[in-house]
Amino acid sequence: MTAPLLSVKNLTIDYIGEEKDFRAVDNVSFDVAPGEVFGLAGESGCGKSTIAFAISRLHKPPALIRRESSILLNGRNVLDLDDKGLRDFRWREVAMVFQSAMNSLNPVLRIEQQFYDVLKTHKGMNRTQARDRTAEMLKLVDIAPDRMRDYPHQFSGGMRQRIVIAICLALDPRLVVMDEPTTALDVVVQREILQRINELRRSLGFAVLFITHDLGLMVQFCDRIGIMLAGKLVEQNTAEAIYGSPQHDYTKQLWASFPSLHGGVLL
Amino acid sequence: MTGQPTPILALDRVTKTFGHGPGAVHAARSISFSLHAGRALALVGESGSGKTTCARMAMREYMPTEGKILFKGEPVDGASPAETVRYRRAVQMIFQDPFASLNPAHTIAYHLKRPLLLHRPDIKRSEIDATVRALLQQVKLDPDIVAPKYPHELSGGQRQRVNIARALAAKPEVIVADEPTSMLDVSVRLGVLNLLSEMKQQMKLGLLYITHDIATARYVAEDIAVMYAGQIVEWGNVGKVIDNPAHPYTKLLLSAVPDPDIRFDDPSVRLRPQDVEEIRRKSAMTQDKIVEVDTDHFVRAA
């Protein structure tokens, strides 16, 4: 493997409570190579979203990242960045798509304006340059560029989600963190979006940290997968191995809880 | 879906339109299905396909614009209050969101006592506490621990079990479950689905299981109806429809279900956006011709 793009080492995150602390993430280490799709799977409360937030340094008190932790992106420790460093780092190097991302567009601004905000802040583009870039990005996610003058409510849920992804990719980030990006969408739209992301990462070369509870979907999309249980990373392997020969009991149980289309459960 | 004894609940060519004129939304177009004792019908489709509109019409929350709802063969029109009360008892609903469907200010015991007091005059006051315990045991919750608790003290799966117990308290004949597991974790989802199947068999309930997850539909139901844009495009035996889909939309839906055996990198399985649009456009048109693919397997054709 080449040098990792993202290297999470001994990440431990506590939620500080009045009487006792809750360990949300317990000594988790994993690497993501450039251009790779790495999946984190587990049930709600297992700490997978906490990790996603920590990578963009979006966690807020009472979440506390313990001192022995490090999150290295291209060798630089994200946890050491100052405010200015953090502003440059967010979005330009690591972009994030949230679970309800389609609702994270501003309802009173045209799509064009929302692209412009990002492009002006981070790249200092003027209107014309931003419009060209917007058209280019919308085309990437199969949306007609002339619709950039529309407002978010004029698009369907799946289209809004694709617009958010287009905004995320507008600055050519090297890593995109996707926290349950398609959970609120139906399967056909989900398939269209993830298929497109997969093609884009092949052509543009960004890496994806993909978080979901749907193991079947994860195996379809990811190169490698980590399984989380109660804050710990209990198993980490290639997608084929997680599907074909799961080692940890919890991974096996997780598979056994998916009904199969062909009757019975998976496995 | 014919040739069986009189269904408990049937929708006969039911149509529901919201709004008027050119902006009208045809949420349900000529929907017919029937629910039989001890059987489950899965209503499958994407968001906005009209599944929940159908559920609400079965619950008599919406009145159909056209068509009839038959309860044990008799049309229900809401003319007689006594009949309405009987219907409200006999048809119970389980909602999607286990966090919003219980009153946060009341204990679990209260939630189960209310339907007993309202709908079960056959139970003596002195027996109510014992019945609450029995109901909780039926849904595999420990009455001593759960009954005095408040909803926020329970997990999502436990709350959904309480919701099932609450529905069962009214001694229903039909249960309408609208995405009962879509907000639950995968690890507790199967437990709730198994419980629903068990109740269906033991108590001879007619179950209308509404979902967008076609794999769980196969797990729970005997019959399936696939909806798109307000129409049931294909219906019949769940195994026949899933193993041998005839309608282009059903095929599309099945091909998009997450399957760990298919990698996105494989170009042969790629869904072409143009094809998907074409199927959506064609399936949205009114399709009147019904073709019998096989015994107990029907499809609409343009």
Side-chain angles (χ1 to χ4, degrees):
Chain A
M1 199 164 107
T2 47
L5 172 69
L6 174 75
S7 178
V8 172
K9 283 196 187 106
N10 310 101
L11 182 63
T12 300
I13 303 175
D14 286 337
Y15 285 100
I16 305 298
E18 218 159 276
E19 281 154 28
K20 60 181 189 322
D21 301 345
F22 176 76
R23 185 141 289 190
V25 178
D26 193 357
N27 202 15
V28 167
S29 303
F30 63 89
D31 290 343
V32 181
E36 184 184 46
V37 181
F38 184 80
L40 274 182
E43 29 188 323
S44 16
C46 73
K48 54 194 198 303
S49 293
T50 306
I51 293 181
F53 275 77
I55 289 169
S56 303
R57 280 270 301 272
L58 286 169
H59 64 286
K60 289 204 182 86
L64 180 77
I65 299 185
R66 292 292 173 191
R67 193 166 292 130
E68 65 273 18
S69 317
S70 69
I71 298 172
L72 302 172
L73 192 89
N74 270 336
R76 204 153 47 111
N77 195 347
V78 176
L79 301 176
D80 294 338
L81 293 174
D82 57 11
D83 282 357
K84 167 143 194 336
L86 204 54
R87 266 202 303 280
D88 289 339
F89 156 83
R90 281 183 188 155
W91 216 295
R92 191 179 291 195
E93 291 188 58
V94 175
M96 193 161 172
V97 180
F98 298 98
Q99 180 168 3
S100 51
M102 53 195 181
N103 303 323
S104 57
L105 291 167
N106 187 331
V108 298
L109 295 183
R110 295 179 198 277
I111 299 304
E112 183 189 37
Q113 179 66 33
Q114 311 202 25
F115 270 93
Y116 177 64
D117 283 348
V118 173
L119 292 167
K120 184 180 163 233
T121 313
H122 289 274
K123 288 250 169 107
M125 284 190 183
N126 63 29
R127 288 268 173 193
T128 323
Q129 288 168 324
R131 211 165 288 146
D132 290 345
R133 181 70 178 155
T134 304
E136 189 186 335
M137 296 316 295
L138 287 179
K139 255 185 265 169
L140 276 187
V141 292
D142 302 314
I143 291 174
D146 52 353
R147 295 206 59 187
M148 71 169 84
R149 299 279 299 158
D150 287 349
Y151 290 96
H153 74 268
Q154 292 170 287
F155 295 90
S156 69
M159 287 171 108
R160 286 204 295 270
Q161 189 73 301
R162 278 183 290 177
I163 291 170
V164 173
I165 290 166
I167 295 178
C168 274
L169 299 178
L171 297 176
D172 284 321
R174 275 167 286 180
L175 176 70
V176 182
V177 179
M178 296 189 175
D179 188 2
E180 306 252 11
T182 53
T183 311
L185 304 170
D186 65 86
V187 286
V188 179
V189 178
Q190 164 174 291
R191 173 64 169 275
E192 284 180 292
I193 290 179
L194 292 180
Q195 198 177 273
R196 197 80 191 104
I197 294 173
N198 193 45
E199 288 162 8
L200 289 175
R201 65 125 175 172
R202 294 281 177 219
S203 55
L204 303 176
F206 57 85
V208 179
L209 178 66
F210 183 65
I211 294 174
T212 183
H213 61 267
D214 190 336
L215 263 185
L217 181 68
M218 193 164 256
V219 169
Q220 288 190 289
F221 183 41
C222 296
D223 300 315
R224 286 189 311 122
I225 294 174
I227 307 284
M228 289 199 63
L229 170 64
K232 289 192 176 72
L233 196 62
V234 293
E235 186 170 357
Q236 189 182 163
N237 216 328
T238 59
E240 291 80 21
I242 291 285
Y243 176 46
S245 52
Q247 298 301 312
H248 198 276
D249 279 344
Y250 180 70
T251 315
K252 292 176 192 165
Q253 281 169 18
L254 215 48
W255 275 119
S257 60
F258 281 95
S260 162
L261 199 54
H262 315 294
V265 292
L266 290 170
L267 257 194
Chain B
M1 282 172 258
T2 48
Q4 282 156 320
T6 314
I8 312 180
L9 184 67
L11 269 66
D12 185 20
R13 279 161 291 160
V14 165
T15 294
K16 180 72 191 176
T17 309
F18 295 101
H20 300 279
V25 175
H26 303 278
R29 290 187 277 169
S30 194
I31 298 286
S32 300
F33 62 76
S34 43
L35 299 173
H36 294 269
R39 288 177 77 84
L41 168 71
L43 203 53
V44 183
E46 61 179 35
S47 30
S49 61
K51 311 184 292 277
T52 300
T53 301
C54 288
R56 291 193 169 164
M57 286 195 291
M59 293 302 298
R60 290 174 39 93
E61 198 177 319
Y62 290 159
M63 289 302 132
T65 316
E66 276 170 49
K68 279 180 297 190
I69 296 176
L70 303 165
F71 182 62
K72 295 183 179 165
E74 300 288 316
V76 280
D77 46 16
S80 130
E83 191 193 293
T84 306
V85 169
R86 209 161 57 230
Y87 190 87
R88 293 253 177 263
R89 178 190 68 74
V91 184
Q92 291 290 326
M93 185 151 183
I94 295 164
F95 295 91
Q96 176 170 13
D97 188 347
F99 301 90
S101 50
L102 295 172
N103 187 332
H106 287 294
T107 61
I108 300 308
Y110 174 90
H111 282 92
L112 300 180
K113 269 181 201 161
R114 254 180 81 79
L116 291 175
L117 291 170
L118 283 170
H119 289 301
R120 298 286 296 278
D122 54 312
I123 297 177
K124 292 199 200 88
R125 288 280 174 141
S126 56
E127 288 169 5
I128 281 194
D129 284 333
T131 316
V132 166
R133 292 181 62 86
L135 281 167
L136 285 171
Q137 271 159 354
Q138 213 172 3
V139 296
K140 301 183 177 73
L141 291 172
D142 186 340
D144 294 318
I145 299 173
V146 173
K149 283 198 170 174
Y150 286 89
H152 75 266
E153 297 174 275
L154 302 181
S155 71
Q158 287 173 317
R159 274 185 246 198
Q160 209 56 313
R161 284 172 193 269
V162 170
N163 272 319
I164 295 173
R166 187 202 53 72
L168 294 176
K171 214 172 175 188
E173 286 162 85
V174 171
I175 284 191
V176 177
D178 190 357
E179 304 257 16
T181 56
S182 65
M183 297 188 66
L184 301 180
D185 256 324
V186 282
S187 54
V188 294
R189 203 168 58 178
L190 271 199
V192 171
L193 292 178
N194 287 338
L195 180 65
L196 272 176
S197 301
E198 244 171 67
M199 298 296 124
K200 171 194 80 186
Q201 276 160 5
Q202 282 173 11
M203 306 172 75
K204 295 275 168 265
L205 296 169
L207 178 65
L208 179 61
Y209 175 66
I210 294 177
T211 184
H212 64 266
D213 183 349
I214 203 162
T216 63
R218 176 162 212 166
Y219 192 78
V220 170
E222 287 84 16
D223 301 309
I224 190 170
V226 180
M227 276 193 90
Y228 185 76
Q231 287 185 108
I232 294 181
V233 294
E234 185 164 6
W235 65 96
N237 175 281
V238 70
K240 287 182 181 173
V241 171
I242 290 178
D243 292 335
N244 184 24
H247 197 277
Y249 180 72
T250 316
K251 289 181 188 166
L252 174 67
L253 191 63
L254 285 167
S255 71
V257 171
D259 181 343
D261 287 320
I262 298 169
R263 297 271 304 165
F264 287 166
D265 281 330
D266 182 350
S268 65
V269 298
R270 183 169 180 267
L271 292 180
R272 290 180 49 214
Q274 309 88 291
D275 299 347
V276 173
E277 272 320 304
E278 180 69 9
I279 292 172
R280 284 206 178 106
R281 197 181 57 75
K282 279 193 177 154
S283 307
M285 290 190 275
T286 307
Q287 301 178 316
D288 289 324
K289 211 174 113 216
I290 294 169
V291 182
E292 184 169 0
V293 183
D294 192 353
T295 47
D296 200 15
H297 181 183
F298 302 86
V299 66
R300 271 180 199 273

